[in-house]
Amino acid sequence: MRNILSTISSKPKSLRTSTKIKLLIVAGLMIWFYFSLPKKLFNAPTSYVIEDKEGNLLNATIASDGQWRFPYNKNVPQKFIDCITTFEDKRFFKHPGVDPVSIGRAVLKNIKNKGVVQGGSTLTMQVIRLSKKNDKRSIWNKLKESILAVRLEMSYSKKEIIALYASNAPFGSNVVGLDAAAWRYYGRSADKLSWGEMATLAVLPNAPALVHPGKNRDVLLKKRNKLLDKLLEAGTINQSSCELAKLEALPGQPLSLPQFAPHLLQRFKKEKPAITKIKTTLDGALQKNIAAIIQQHQAVLKGNGINNACALVLDVETGNALAYVGNIYAPLNKEMEADVDVIAAPRSPGSALKPVLYAAALSDGLILPNSIIPDIPTQIGSYAPQNFDLGYDGAVPANRALARSLNIPTVKLLQQYKYQRFYETLQQCGLTTLNRSADTYGLSLILGGCEVTAWDMAAVYASMARTLNHQTKNHGKLDAKDFHAPNYRTTDDGPQTTDNKPPTTNLPLDATSIYFTFQAMQEVMRPGEEGLWQQFTSSQKIAWKTGTSFGFRDGWAIGVTPKNVIAVWVGNTDGEGRPGLVGIQTAAPILFDIFRLLPNTTWFEKPKYNFSFVPVCRQSGYRANIDCPDVDTLFMPPNGLKVPQCVYHKMIHLDATATYRVTEQCESPSNMQHKSWFVLSPAMEYYYKQKNADYKVLPAFKPGCDFAETGKVMEIIYPQPDAKIYVPLEINGEKGKTVFSAAHRRSGAKIFWSLDDNFIGTTQNFHQMALNPSPGKHIITLVDENGLSASRPFEILAKEH
């Protein structure tokens, strides 16, 4: 450089100036040449495309400019490379972007024919022309294309250049790019095309108007067959392949693209608008089969005005979605609202969250799996839960209450656990739609008073199953990584992120409690099988739960195995309720049809770590006290030793004949028999003995010992304290009556009823009375023959609130 400068400086001034200008021009040209290519050659909008885990097309949308243009694909089939280079640019892998031999041949041929009959453009030059969207053929344009082609070759590999061409070349009508063309003309991906099919597509960019039903078919056929002959001459294909390829039919009317996962595509577009193509975790065959199942069931359900349904299948270990059917497929019927992705839509879960509460209560040490919980008429403030069958069991084991989805025992349990804690538990487990305060939901949280998505619901159950599956590997310790959101993208698309991450500490559920929860859930009666499934060794064990929202608006079914979680929802996207829209009748049949598509798996392994052995009262299900006659030491959750002791067994004293109860004031201790007795409260006993014939009521006191009666003998069942009662009109227009009820422990006891200190009647054995109090506040008072009394304030509302 120093020598050049010294040489320039030694020249006359005019020559030095001229040389500098030339150098500046050269430098400018070099800078222009370096920056002549834009960072991104093609900026046209592309179709949104999703594939299954094997790379098969699931869904695609047309690009915003009305073109079927798939995103850039770096993987070009070798067949296409062979075809397009043979047809367009034989020396593609040898020239630097411009082929002088090809240009010279084209010039001579055009002169000979006195017109343009052959171009000298290389594939690289065609990529430049496609990127500039300039179809004008002129010497100036050719020169620019040549320069830019050389520049392109300096920055891109040959495979990248041919991939750019394959992704952006026109293939007739509104089809752009090889991938879109393969699906529009042949209904499958480009890597699965035959030689005849690929040769047909290879000749199209040269004259894309050729593919048109009933137009230019002979010209297209000749071009294709000529290319096949050239491939034979080059040794790319053999004689038999060439002849067979020529027998293949040409494409006709463009085909519709697959629409197997339209709602997942909709979700993908919303969540990742900057990305237009992904490979999903879906199993393509499973997706199609489940979509067919949804359509079959909806065809029956629509007779009852039930229009929509969805199903989600997750792999437990990874949390990957294997099937995502967000709704029925009815794009032409707008009234069906089939475009709504119900998997992502918040809906009332009904009872579907009860297993989470059961597992949390076990983990917390509030109950043991079969601890009895009251099931009697209940009112908490202005809230009066009802069982679905409007009946009562008096007392029911917690695991049976879960299996039967009883509402009142569940609300009683939530009272103990506290709805504020349960609200936090649900958030920790992964629910993202609890957007209001815990006090807003209150106790109704457990009966569908909140809204959840099928996506989150499936995530919660998958996380529980994952925790149980990993309990041996983790030596009983909880791993926060086991609680995470589902995923529908493969790792091929880069690192995955989860939108709802639970806290890393103080997870609310332990593996052993989850195990007992799933055990209880598999006892639910399967629809149409009458419990006979257990008699077949080939039948799969499934933990499952249904849910029905208030007003019959949502029917749910959730199923869990060690391998998979399935969430099914049935209803109307506009929220319209329908008679019979209950989870067991609408969603559960779909659930089990889907499970039949999946391979059978073994049941969850019994936990080997983090458990306790607890002496349990056989009748009450609580920790045994000294008065419990039948005690079993059982495998229990780790906090089982914190569960309260049984309060239902009491030691009573009987006379010598064991017929009457006595006390030391009226019977000599030497004549007494002492016996442990299972004793429920009067209200619990009233309902419990109706369904449990073996329940033994307390013996009556021996005559002369009546004064010794202690404890709760009489109990008002309805109304609950400070109840606000609205009494509707009867069909005949008259004001209806309110049925007040009570229970007395002593058989045959008389109860004297008073309303606001006015005597209104007497009952014996069956203690119910229908009354018609005036609007306002009242007090009902009950007195038995021994002077024991019970009172209850309530209010009759003048109109419905």
Side-chain angles (χ1 to χ4, degrees), residues 5-17:
L5 292 174
S6 62
T7 301
I8 293 173
S9 61
S10 64
K11 293 182 178 181
K13 185 175 181 181
S14 60
L15 290 176
R16 290 202 305 268
T17 302

Side-chain angles (χ1 to χ4, degrees), residues 504-640:
T504 56
T505 58
N506 299 322
L507 288 173
L509 310 177
D510 65 77
T512 308
S513 296
I514 294 171
Y515 175 78
F516 278 105
T517 301
F518 289 165
Q519 287 286 93
M521 289 171 66
Q522 70 155 324
E523 296 300 323
V524 182
M525 188 75 72
R526 300 186 183 185
E529 296 190 359
E530 309 285 331
L532 298 177
W533 69 273
Q534 299 179 14
Q535 299 179 19
F536 299 93
T537 56
S538 60
S539 295
Q540 185 174 11
K541 287 186 176 181
I542 300 168
W544 67 290
K545 182 74 185 71
T546 59
T548 303
S549 67
F550 178 78
F552 303 103
R553 294 180 174 89
D554 307 89
W556 290 87
I558 310 293
V560 186
T561 68
K563 181 67 176 174
N564 297 111
V565 168
I566 301 174
V568 176
W569 173 91
V570 174
N572 290 307
T573 55
D574 62 3
E576 180 187 359
R578 298 297 303 167
L581 205 174
V582 295
I584 189 69
Q585 296 176 18
T586 58
I590 298 175
L591 176 82
F592 285 101
D593 278 354
I594 295 173
F595 265 119
R596 292 184 186 100
L597 298 176
L598 302 175
N600 283 3
T601 61
T602 57
W603 187 238
F604 292 98
E605 183 181 0
K606 188 176 181 179
K608 297 179 180 178
Y609 301 93
N610 203 22
F611 58 85
S612 57
F613 283 99
V614 181
V616 179
C617 174
R618 189 177 298 173
Q619 283 182 284
S620 73
Y622 286 92
R623 278 198 309 127
N625 65 20
I626 59 173
D627 294 328
C628 291
D630 301 311
V631 178
D632 300 309
T633 300
L634 302 175
F635 173 92
M636 288 290 156
N639 280 332

Side-chain angles (χ1 to χ4, degrees), residues 226-463:
K226 186 176 180 180
L227 172 56
L228 290 170
D229 288 335
K230 289 183 178 180
L231 290 170
L232 175 61
E233 292 173 11
T236 306
I237 59 176
N238 57 34
Q239 184 68 43
S240 61
S241 296
C242 180
E243 292 176 358
L244 289 172
K246 288 181 179 181
L247 294 175
E248 295 181 27
L250 295 177
Q253 187 77 28
L255 304 173
S256 298
L257 269 64
Q259 297 292 318
F260 297 129
H263 303 95
L264 182 58
L265 178 63
Q266 173 183 320
R267 181 183 188 125
F268 159 58
K269 289 175 64 177
K270 182 179 179 181
E271 294 180 350
K272 306 290 180 181
I275 305 173
T276 56
K277 180 181 179 181
I278 60 165
K279 180 186 285 188
T280 70
T281 60
L282 300 193
D283 180 317
L286 183 65
Q287 176 77 10
K288 297 172 192 176
N289 287 333
I290 292 177
I293 288 174
I294 292 291
Q295 293 294 130
Q296 291 167 5
H297 281 269
Q298 191 272 338
V300 177
L301 292 169
K302 69 180 181 182
N304 186 29
I306 301 172
N307 296 327
N308 307 102
C310 73
L312 174 67
V313 180
L314 299 183
D315 175 78
V316 166
E317 181 60 30
T318 61
N320 289 340
L322 302 181
Y324 190 111
V325 181
N327 207 331
I328 62 166
Y329 184 69
L332 301 179
N333 190 340
K334 298 300 182 183
E335 293 182 0
M336 303 292 280
E337 296 188 348
D339 59 315
V340 177
D341 178 10
V342 190
I343 288 177
R347 307 289 305 195
S348 168
S351 300
L353 296 177
K354 287 178 180 176
V356 182
L357 174 62
Y358 179 79
L362 290 175
S363 298
D364 198 53
L366 287 180
I367 57 170
L368 295 175
N370 59 341
S371 296
I372 61 171
I373 302 175
D375 181 23
I376 58 176
T378 300
Q379 181 154 342
I380 304 162
S382 60
Y383 181 54
Q386 296 285 333
N387 291 327
F388 189 78
D389 61 3
L390 302 181
Y392 307 96
D393 280 30
V396 63
N399 54 2
R400 294 300 304 151
L402 176 60
R404 292 172 53 198
S405 197
L406 297 177
N407 291 337
I408 293 173
T410 305
V411 172
K412 292 277 191 184
L413 186 59
L414 184 57
Q415 262 191 304
Q416 287 183 270
Y417 190 79
K418 306 302 182 188
Y419 66 80
Q420 295 89 345
R421 286 185 61 202
F422 187 58
Y423 175 88
E424 295 176 357
T425 295
L426 292 175
Q427 289 183 319
Q428 288 175 308
C429 287
L431 292 192
T432 61
T433 52
L434 302 180
N435 300 320
R436 293 175 287 168
S437 67
D439 291 335
T440 304
Y441 300 112
L443 293 171
S444 69
L445 189 65
I446 195 59
L447 299 183
C450 60
E451 291 185 329
V452 303
T453 64
W455 185 255
D456 284 355
M457 181 92 76
V460 171
Y461 283 97
S463 296

Side-chain angles (χ1 to χ4, degrees), residues 485-503:
N487 169 62
Y488 61 84
R489 295 172 57 203
T490 66
T491 53
D492 294 349
D493 294 306
Q496 307 304 309
T497 59
T498 55
D499 298 324
N500 49 326
K501 296 181 180 179

Side-chain angles (χ1 to χ4, degrees), residues 79-90 165 171 194-206 219-238 241-243 245-246:
K79 280 183 184 178
F80 182 75
I81 296 175
D82 293 337
C83 287
I84 199 65
T85 53
T86 300
F87 184 72
E88 291 278 4
D89 192 352
K90 292 180 181 178
Y165 177 85
F171 283 84
S194 67
W195 279 109
E197 292 166 340
M198 193 66 84
T200 303
L201 294 185
V203 303
L204 282 180
N206 182 264
V219 178
L220 176 60
L221 183 63
K222 289 178 182 179
K223 280 181 171 287
R224 184 199 69 176
N225 291 346
K226 186 176 180 180
L227 172 56
L228 290 170
D229 288 335
K230 289 183 178 180
L231 290 170
L232 175 61
E233 292 173 11
T236 306
I237 59 176
N238 57 34
S241 296
C242 180
E243 292 176 358
K246 288 181 179 181

Side-chain angles (χ1 to χ4, degrees), residues 555-743:
W556 290 87
I558 310 293
V560 186
T561 68
K563 181 67 176 174
N564 297 111
V565 168
I566 301 174
V568 176
W569 173 91
V570 174
N572 290 307
T573 55
D574 62 3
E576 180 187 359
R578 298 297 303 167
L581 205 174
V582 295
I584 189 69
Q585 296 176 18
T586 58
I590 298 175
L591 176 82
F592 285 101
D593 278 354
I594 295 173
F595 265 119
R596 292 184 186 100
L597 298 176
L598 302 175
N600 283 3
T601 61
T602 57
W603 187 238
F604 292 98
E605 183 181 0
K606 188 176 181 179
K608 297 179 180 178
Y609 301 93
N610 203 22
F611 58 85
S612 57
F613 283 99
V614 181
V616 179
C617 174
R618 189 177 298 173
Q619 283 182 284
S620 73
Y622 286 92
R623 278 198 309 127
N625 65 20
I626 59 173
D627 294 328
C628 291
D630 301 311
V631 178
D632 300 309
T633 300
L634 302 175
F635 173 92
M636 288 290 156
N639 280 332
L641 294 171
K642 292 170 54 179
V643 174
Q645 288 188 332
C646 173
V647 297
Y648 297 102
H649 275 99
K650 299 176 181 178
M651 189 63 66
I652 65 170
H653 310 295
L654 304 174
D655 65 3
T657 65
T659 304
Y660 296 102
R661 277 187 292 161
V662 295
T663 67
E664 59 184 4
Q665 283 104 346
C666 58
E667 186 78 19
S668 171
S670 61
N671 294 329
M672 293 181 185
Q673 293 188 36
H674 309 289
K675 191 171 183 179
S676 178
W677 207 276
F678 182 60
V679 182
L680 298 173
S681 72
M684 292 168 66
E685 180 182 273
Y686 174 76
Y687 293 102
Y688 188 83
K689 65 184 180 182
Q690 295 176 28
K691 296 190 176 183
N692 296 270
D694 58 344
Y695 178 77
K696 296 180 179 178
V697 299
L698 277 171
F701 273 96
K702 186 176 181 179
C705 291
D706 292 9
F707 63 87
E709 186 85 65
T710 59
K712 185 176 284 189
V713 177
M714 180 172 59
E715 189 173 0
I716 298 176
I717 298 174
Y718 186 84
Q720 295 295 306
D722 299 311
K724 297 181 184 297
I725 303 170
Y726 169 71
V727 184
L729 297 177
E730 300 289 354
I731 296 177
N732 59 11
E734 296 180 359
K735 186 177 180 182
K737 293 185 178 182
T738 303
V739 178
F740 294 76
S741 58

